[in-house]
Amino acid sequence: MTGDNRSSRLERRKYIQLLGGTAAAIGLAGCGGNNNDNSNGGGNDGDNSNGGGNDGDNSNGGGNDGSSSGSESWRDNMSDSVTVWTFDSTDWPKNSVDDYIEETGSGEISAEVNSLARTDLEQRLQSRILSGQSAPSAAMIEISSMSGYIEQGGVREITNWVEEAGLQDPIVDAAWGGTNDSDGGIYGVPTDYGPAPWFYRQSVMDDLGIDPENISTYQELLDAGSDLPDDQYLILLTGNVWGRVWRLLYRQTGNTHITQDGTINVNSEESARVVEFMAEAVNSGVADPTSSAGSTFYNHLGDGTAASTIRGAWFEGSLNSTLPDTSGDWRVTKPPMFEWSDAQARGTVWGGSGYLIPEQIGDAEAGRMFDILNHMASEEMQVKAAEAGNFPANTKVYDSEIFSEPVDFFGGQPAREVYAEVAREAPDWRFSPDESVILESVAQGVTSVIDNGEDPQAAMQTAAERIADRTDYTL
């Protein structure tokens, strides 16, 4: 991206912020009224159980002008104290920091770890970055939202530090998709990931005479659900976040919403076929479109009205805490694939998070913070992440013993092995700073097809034109 283009986009976004204040700027990405599901805590990229609004990601905040590249080793200059903001409901981030301090063998290092509600964290970080003061040493951000922060200026580039630490190889390739700028510079460190398996209730599937292990394509899923009893659904697809569901499925085709050269790709033939599947699944009664922004979502999974759903690995924790009586009845398998796609991938992603270091932080504080993030991404700490219920981003952990251990909630199935398979098979996806705008436009198109019977190709062409009108991308 040229300096002129970056400046132009920054001015456009600042103008939007001035129109509605900081909260409105974040609202483009789903603050408060978005459809993201925060029912589980750290690393999710899901739908917010607090209700409707847009169908986007929190692609907002400040980014970098590329002037800080971490050219010297981070170890050359490290401060004695840091402050970290997380939105994780588990204790793993804080425990990781505590473990780091203990391993250094020095009582002179102090760290303050503040756990905040995700939208609160984003609002505060947005404000601190725009003001140029009082930002934390690092903040936990969803991978899908990082690109918005990176583009706008205010986030430290850490490319050389990441390369020196050798982090790129062990961390799953697809997790880096939101951490780069348009020139390939790296600004974030992924620490957890959200491979999305197919969660299903064994007892419900048995009653229906359906074996998900024998379903490998979405057409086979439609066929299996073609003769269901009244008020029974084979899968829950979550109608309040159609944009996210579309992204989950479209990713499996090996496509992405914006091509490398900035061309809008939501109107491809493959995208239209994905939307056609979504509409057929809902309108034939195979898929339950219940919103995740209320109790009905979990009620349907709890009473068996919906036999399954596709969600990030973090959803295990949501089910465990929300539907404890169903423990032992759940299983996971790889999601079906689109047999007509070139990728034919049975892997996809819903979620994942990492950390950004604000550029206003001094070099010594940034160096110490990166040293901590490098520790969090290590094999040892990533195993502890898995033990705490976070799915690790470090692929070297996927062959560790914990991944072959039986999980009681899944009836003794070694569920983490399935998560790892899904993670490895998921095609890459490069997130956009305009992710929220794109998903909102796509959701409108999907809704028009499902509710009004509009032709999928025409609906997605309209979605593409809306994206072109609201962003710098081209048709």
Side-chain angles (χ1 to χ4, degrees):
M1 177 174 295
T2 67
D4 289 344
N5 286 341
R6 183 184 296 278
S7 176
S8 174
R9 177 167 283 188
L10 178 58
E11 290 304 316
R12 175 171 64 84
R13 291 176 187 268
K14 284 186 175 178
Y15 176 67
I16 292 172
Q17 292 162 5
L18 288 172
L19 285 177
T22 301
I26 295 174
L28 280 175
C31 166
N34 81 358
N35 297 317
N36 302 349
D37 120 287
N38 254 354
S39 48
N40 53 306
N44 92 18
D45 187 14
D47 9 304
N48 215 349
S49 304
N50 60 358
N54 75 30
D55 187 10
D57 293 90
N58 303 297
S59 302
N60 58 328
N64 190 315
D65 62 3
S67 63
S68 176
S69 62
S71 56
E72 298 180 356
S73 174
W74 77 90
R75 298 186 179 94
D76 291 344
N77 187 17
M78 297 193 291
S79 68
D80 294 334
S81 64
V82 294
T83 300
V84 187
W85 289 359
T86 81
F87 57 78
D88 203 327
S89 62
T90 74
D91 293 329
W92 178 72
K94 184 178 186 308
N95 291 343
S96 297
V97 175
D98 290 344
D99 185 86
Y100 169 85
I101 293 174
E102 182 178 343
E103 280 203 8
T104 62
S106 172
E108 297 179 357
I109 300 172
S110 64
E112 180 181 346
V113 181
N114 297 323
S115 183
L116 307 170
R118 181 169 57 81
T119 52
D120 185 28
L121 183 154
E122 289 161 351
Q123 289 177 9
R124 292 191 190 188
L125 184 62
Q126 169 85 349
S127 176
R128 305 291 172 86
I129 287 179
L130 289 177
S131 70
Q133 58 186 0
S134 302
S137 310
M140 184 180 191
I141 298 294
E142 291 179 343
I143 291 172
S144 63
S145 299
M146 283 187 178
S147 56
Y149 288 87
I150 292 166
E151 180 179 328
Q152 290 182 18
V155 178
R156 178 180 289 261
E157 183 181 349
I158 54 174
T159 305
N160 290 346
W161 289 356
V162 168
E163 291 176 351
E164 180 186 347
L167 284 177
Q168 284 181 286
D169 181 51
I171 291 180
V172 62
D173 288 343
W176 293 105
T179 68
N180 306 103
D181 65 9
S182 57
D183 297 321
I186 301 172
Y187 295 78
V189 177
T191 53
D192 64 78
Y193 197 48
W198 184 10
F199 292 84
Y200 66 91
R201 293 279 302 278
Q202 183 69 65
S203 64
V204 179
M205 290 295 188
D206 287 346
D207 289 344
L208 296 173
I210 296 173
D211 184 359
E213 299 295 335
N214 291 331
I215 295 176
S216 61
T217 71
Y218 283 108
Q219 183 58 54
E220 291 173 352
L221 184 149
L222 291 174
D223 294 343
S226 63
D227 192 25
L228 296 172
D230 293 341
D231 299 320
Q232 174 67 58
Y233 300 97
L234 183 56
I235 190 169
L236 199 159
L237 287 183
T238 322
N240 64 316
V241 285
W242 282 140
R244 287 177 181 267
V245 175
W246 169 86
R247 181 176 66 189
L248 177 90
L249 299 172
Y250 190 42
R251 184 170 184 159
Q252 289 187 259
T253 70
N255 283 276
T256 188
H257 48 13
I258 305 295
T259 65
Q260 189 69 34
D261 65 359
T263 302
I264 298 165
N265 195 40
V266 306
N267 53 342
S268 68
E269 178 184 354
E270 292 91 341
S271 175
R273 295 187 72 170
V274 168
V275 175
E276 182 179 21
F277 160 76
M278 294 168 68
E280 182 176 355
V282 171
N283 292 327
S284 67
V286 173
D288 181 356
T290 293
S291 167
S292 63
S295 60
T296 305
F297 174 82
Y298 283 103
N299 289 342
H300 278 196
L301 292 172
D303 64 19
T305 298
S308 68
T309 191
I310 299 174
R311 273 295 193 279
W314 46 262
F315 195 57
E316 174 187 340
S318 300
L319 290 174
N320 212 335
S321 61
T322 310
L323 300 173
D325 292 343
T326 62
S327 178
D329 192 35
W330 286 94
R331 303 290 187 273
V332 286
T333 190
K334 293 190 293 187
M337 67 176 174
F338 291 104
E339 70 282 359
W340 43 261
S341 71
D342 290 337
Q344 295 192 345
R346 295 193 64 184
T348 188
V349 178
W350 191 323
S353 64
Y355 290 82
L356 299 175
I357 300 175
E359 192 172 31
Q360 64 185 256
I361 299 305
D363 290 346
E365 188 175 346
R368 178 67 68 185
M369 192 63 243
F370 183 80
D371 205 44
I372 292 174
L373 296 180
N374 188 38
H375 178 72
M376 293 175 72
S378 68
E379 288 185 60
E380 177 187 0
M381 295 313 300
Q382 290 278 288
V383 168
K384 292 183 178 180
E387 292 171 346
N390 299 70
F391 188 83
N394 190 325
T395 59
K396 291 185 178 180
V397 178
Y398 300 172
D399 294 322
S400 63
E401 291 183 4
I402 190 174
F403 273 72
S404 60
E405 291 177 357
V407 180
D408 291 342
F409 189 79
F410 294 102
Q413 179 188 15
R416 296 185 189 96
E417 288 184 348
V418 178
Y419 298 163
E421 289 181 36
V422 173
R424 288 186 172 114
E425 291 191 30
D428 292 342
W429 183 277
R430 185 180 178 85
F431 292 97
S432 163
D434 293 301
E435 197 80 6
S436 62
V437 173
I438 296 169
L439 294 194
E440 183 180 357
S441 298
V442 166
Q444 292 175 30
V446 173
T447 299
S448 182
V449 174
I450 292 175
D451 293 350
N452 304 324
E454 184 176 358
D455 175 71
Q457 192 68 65
M460 298 315 290
Q461 178 62 33
T462 301
E465 292 168 1
R466 278 195 297 266
I467 294 167
D469 288 342
R470 298 177 62 187
T471 70
D472 297 335
Y473 298 122
T474 59
L475 291 168

